[in-house]
Amino acid sequence: MKILDGLGITAVKKVSAAGINCGIKPSGKKDMALIYSEVPFKVAAAFTDNSIVAAPVTYSKKLLRDHDEFQALLINSGNANACTGDKGYNDAVEMSEFTSKKLGLDSSTLIASTGLIGETLPMEKVRQGIESVADNLRPNGGSDAAEAIMTTDAFIKEIAVELKISDTVVRIGAMAKGAGMIAPRLVSHATMIAAVATDADISSGALSKALSEGIKTSFNRSSVDGDTSTNDSVFLLANSSAKNPKIESGEDLQLFLNAVTFIMTELTKMIIKDGEGATKLISYNIKGAKNDDEAALIGMSLVNSLLVKTMFFGADPNWGRIIAAAGASAPGIELKNTSVYFKDQLVAKDGLGIEFDQEKVGAILSSPEIELTLEVGQGKGVATCYGCDLNHEYVRINAEYTT
Amino acid sequence: MKILDGLGITAVKKVSAAGINCGIKPSGKKDMALIYSEVPFKVAAAFTDNSIVAAPVTYSKKLLRDHDEFQALLINSGNANACTGDKGYNDAVEMSEFTSKKLGLDSSTLIASTGLIGETLPMEKVRQGIESVADNLRPNGGSDAAEAIMTTDAFIKEIAVELKISDTVVRIGAMAKGAGMIAPRLVSHATMIAAVATDADISSGALSKALSEGIKTSFNRSSVDGDTSTNDSVFLLANSSAKNPKIESGEDLQLFLNAVTFIMTELTKMIIKDGEGATKLISYNIKGAKNDDEAALIGMSLVNSLLVKTMFFGADPNWGRIIAAAGASAPGIELKNTSVYFKDQLVAKDGLGIEFDQEKVGAILSSPEIELTLEVGQGKGVATCYGCDLNHEYVRINAEYTT
């Protein structure tokens, strides 16, 4: 597998994209993205498990139940079309139908939205936007699309890789957005939105498996703020144009699955690194839990602990907060079996603080990417979860992000 | 029932208290409190359900299993004696035994600790402190004791009431501390520590019932930061010196239970109001849930939502965050059945935003005590939960509170 530097979703054969401003965002920043494939996509998708879901989620789910093939995915930012009632649902349907019509497609267009909750879309602007974004589709428009789905994101998130299936080169390109209301629990499980496209030929079953295995150890093991969105959507799109021997099972599937998991994990890290206000990406390695699911549960309790998050902002090796948060999340953890490392520096062993190199630990805690390892000595379960620090900038953004 | 202004735990007959500095806190602020009754207390107690518990919790639990009567409760602040291994446990035992010996008691002394996790107690100072605090016991020492259990608390928390059981006056006096690592899940369920004393004569069964019913709708429906402590302890102490007809069941028990619930709810509000950095106390009234437990679950998800907490700091009526947080916590909530009020102002009805009086809502959201009502239209379940805003001061305190 090779990373294709500087490329994103349009690294994939026969996939073009565009991103424009249509006026949903008064700032004039890009707010509408379109992904288009010349040939039909098979699609596997996962959405938020919040019981309040936005209209575009409800409608895309319906489309996926009713149809097997798609050629287009339209995403707007600046307005989530959530908590907007029947009007919102009708707007979602119109977004989709207007796009298919503009593109001259027989198939329906998948949709996603992100932004403010509780306001209806300015549909006149949306219709004009769809005209414009469709006219702007380009084979190298991936970065524009990735930019157009940003809300409070500070940087665009895209990645592409290529791998060989038998002797055929297959590409996977992807884009995603964060940066708040990020605690994805995608069902199959943020408003994170991600689109991962591939030109691989792959069976529907294998595509679904790649999606569910991919999200399990990436998006679903990450959180910026513990708030699960009404709009989280991940689409895995495969248009078969690489003409590889069809991926169905065995080693080929494993290769593809590893690549998808790698891409989703990298997108997850980008989202967390760009979490609202975040100055640090922390990878929490939990080892020795009863099983992997419990390891993930412990990891997520550290990711979401305000005391742990502010500790990392303060660059303070206050490991007691880590053990306390772990104990609050999982029954049966025994203090005498717990150990805490910052990167390679052991700071607490068998539940007791030990002498450590203050300078080395201080340097680790001041770096932008930090690895924490917590051993709980109960079994063989392991998980890595991804979180960020909590700081003044987070408070500023969210006290000022307003209706 | 009458509130006794300005009184706390020593409003109770035959109860004296003291609070002193013994040097655990380098600042010289009070760090050791002693509550003493001339006649034995029956005790009902509840402790954290964190699987990592501090040594004083482990030891007080053991004492409560082995003994029926106590006369003294010693509490230190500045050091939690948590994650301190065998040494910590032996120190806890010594704290207890040294106090009983100094007071000339046959009975054991209950203990609690709060403060930094992961450092052992300075036992020489602790022993000198026990000598000094015992010598300072006074019938009006309640406020000194309440001051001595403070950590990041900004004000002391005490309250006292009197009520009549048949024709006999009975008093209940109490003290508590917050202000961080507050998400009590007391099992019977912060480091919150509370001591509630009464001179009522009451059966052990009735005392236990008063404790468990009291904590259920007060401490356990509140959170500052979502972090459940290793040290949370609530003690309900009854020394029978009011000579009332023994409370066992019926109307007398109901009167007593109401008074204990009132006291615990007032202490809870004081703790949340004094939450780290808090500028606002928000009471979340959840109505129409499937049942009371689910109403409490929804309420606690609002209490712990960073987006809702920062919304209150920003005084922004962004009700979409409220509905999103509710939907993330409880399955089956339907948008069209949800309504949101700030105090008496309806801002969202049947899942849709409505026109509202911006000035009135702005004034409500800028006040120090805010009531929010969320209706979810599923059934008859109700609960009120207590939370605070999240702001820059919270971040400052916890990024700087250091090892």
Side-chain angles (χ1 to χ4, degrees), chain B residues 303-327:
Chain B
V303 165
N304 285 317
S305 160
L306 302 200
L307 290 172
V308 171
K309 288 164 80 78
T310 47
M311 181 200 87
F312 278 111
F313 176 57
D316 176 28
N318 194 340
W319 55 268
R321 292 185 183 179
I322 291 161
I323 291 180

Side-chain angles (χ1 to χ4, degrees), chain B residues 227-344:
Chain B
D227 281 272
T228 299
S229 169
T230 50
N231 288 57
D232 299 334
S233 306
V234 176
F235 300 93
L236 178 56
L237 314 155
N239 73 4
S240 312
S241 54
K243 312 277 179 210
N244 56 289
K246 192 167 194 159
I247 301 169
E248 294 190 278
S249 61
E251 196 186 344
D252 287 351
L253 177 56
Q254 196 58 48
L255 281 173
F256 184 78
L257 209 151
N258 291 350
V260 167
T261 300
F262 170 79
I263 282 195
M264 289 184 174
T265 302
E266 290 303 305
L267 290 175
T268 297
K269 289 188 195 166
M270 290 184 218
I271 289 171
I272 302 302
K273 206 167 181 169
D274 195 18
E276 290 176 336
T279 64
K280 289 166 183 172
L281 164 66
I282 302 108
S283 301
Y284 295 90
N285 301 310
I286 312 303
K287 295 181 175 174
K290 279 180 206 147
N291 52 53
D292 290 359
D293 286 346
E294 187 146 320
L297 191 77
I298 296 168
M300 290 307 293
S301 85
L302 301 186
V303 165
N304 285 317
S305 160
L306 302 200
L307 290 172
V308 171
K309 288 164 80 78
T310 47
M311 181 200 87
F312 278 111
F313 176 57
D316 176 28
N318 194 340
W319 55 268
R321 292 185 183 179
I322 291 161
I323 291 180
S329 68
I333 294 181
E334 287 190 66
L335 182 62
K336 66 176 167 50
N337 297 330
T338 60
S339 294
V340 178
Y341 296 78
F342 294 113
K343 208 172 160 193
D344 55 349

Side-chain angles (χ1 to χ4, degrees), chain A residues 101-132:
Chain A
K101 194 175 162 205
K102 168 70 185 173
L103 293 168
L105 300 176
D106 291 333
S107 64
S108 297
T109 296
L110 292 165
I111 54 170
S113 298
T114 178
L116 193 67
I117 295 176
E119 290 194 3
T120 55
L121 283 164
M123 286 306 293
E124 189 51 40
K125 290 176 182 167
V126 168
R127 281 184 291 264
Q128 288 171 14
I130 291 167
E131 299 271 359
S132 163

Side-chain angles (χ1 to χ4, degrees), chain A residues 12-16 35-43 68-73 103-108 110 137 197-202 236-244:
Chain A
V12 174
K13 259 187 205 158
K14 302 199 177 175
V15 170
S16 58
I35 311 295
Y36 171 75
S37 174
E38 292 166 37
V39 293
F41 275 133
K42 280 176 190 155
V43 180
D68 289 327
E69 292 189 335
F70 300 86
Q71 280 185 260
L73 166 63
L103 293 168
L105 300 176
D106 291 333
S107 64
S108 297
L110 292 165
L137 282 170
T198 178
D199 45 28
D201 189 2
I202 181 167
L236 178 56
L237 314 156
N239 74 2
S240 312
S241 56
K243 312 277 180 212
N244 54 290

Side-chain angles (χ1 to χ4, degrees), chain B residues 181-258:
Chain B
M181 211 180 261
I182 302 292
R185 295 187 323 220
L186 299 157
V187 174
S188 136
H189 285 266
T191 299
M192 48 83 40
I193 289 177
V196 181
T198 179
D199 44 30
D201 189 3
I202 181 166
S203 71
S204 298
L207 194 68
S208 293
K209 185 160 194 231
L211 176 80
S212 61
E213 299 246 333
I215 61 177
K216 184 179 170 188
T217 57
S218 59
F219 302 124
N220 284 352
R221 290 190 180 164
S222 74
S223 169
V224 170
D225 49 18
D227 281 272
T228 299
S229 169
T230 50
N231 288 57
D232 299 334
S233 306
V234 176
F235 300 93
L236 178 56
L237 314 155
N239 73 4
S240 312
S241 54
K243 312 277 179 210
N244 56 289
K246 192 167 194 159
I247 301 169
E248 294 190 278
S249 61
E251 196 186 344
D252 287 351
L253 177 56
Q254 196 58 48
L255 281 173
F256 184 78
L257 209 151
N258 291 350

Side-chain angles (χ1 to χ4, degrees), chain A residues 150-169:
Chain A
M150 290 164 61
T151 50
T152 51
D153 301 68
F155 56 83
I156 70 169
K157 294 159 190 73
E158 57 178 359
I159 185 168
V161 301
E162 65 180 35
L163 64 157
K164 279 193 175 168
I165 297 295
S166 298
D167 281 331
T168 314
V169 171

Side-chain angles (χ1 to χ4, degrees), chain A residues 58-210:
Chain A
T58 304
Y59 189 59
S60 285
K61 279 171 136 172
K62 176 180 157 48
L63 291 176
L64 287 158
R65 278 194 305 270
D66 295 348
H67 305 282
D68 289 327
E69 292 189 335
F70 300 86
Q71 280 185 260
L73 166 63
L74 182 79
I75 305 172
N76 77 275
S77 58
N79 185 313
N81 194 7
C83 302
T84 47
D86 291 343
K87 169 84 169 68
Y89 186 78
N90 294 336
D91 290 346
V93 173
E94 189 182 352
M95 269 176 71
S96 169
E97 290 180 351
F98 198 89
T99 309
S100 290
K101 194 175 162 205
K102 168 70 185 173
L103 293 168
L105 300 176
D106 291 333
S107 64
S108 297
T109 296
L110 292 165
I111 54 170
S113 298
T114 178
L116 193 67
I117 295 176
E119 290 194 3
T120 55
L121 283 164
M123 286 306 293
E124 189 51 40
K125 290 176 182 167
V126 168
R127 281 184 291 264
Q128 288 171 14
I130 291 167
E131 299 271 359
S132 163
V133 77
D135 291 338
N136 277 279
L137 282 170
R138 287 183 299 126
N140 58 352
S143 300
D144 286 341
E147 188 184 333
I149 62 172
M150 290 164 61
T151 50
T152 51
D153 301 68
F155 56 83
I156 70 169
K157 294 159 190 73
E158 57 178 359
I159 185 168
V161 301
E162 65 180 35
L163 64 157
K164 279 193 175 168
I165 297 295
S166 298
D167 281 331
T168 314
V169 171
V170 159
R171 286 183 163 193
I172 311 176
M175 64 179 202
K177 56 88 56 183
M181 212 181 259
I182 302 293
R185 296 185 325 219
L186 298 158
V187 175
S188 148
H189 289 269
T191 299
M192 48 85 36
I193 289 179
V196 181
T198 178
D199 45 28
D201 189 2
I202 181 167
S203 72
S204 297
L207 194 68
S208 293
K209 184 160 197 230

Side-chain angles (χ1 to χ4, degrees), chain A residues 354-365:
Chain A
I354 61 165
E355 290 290 319
F356 57 83
D357 186 325
Q358 297 276 353
E359 207 168 319
K360 273 190 188 161
V361 168
I364 291 167
L365 291 177

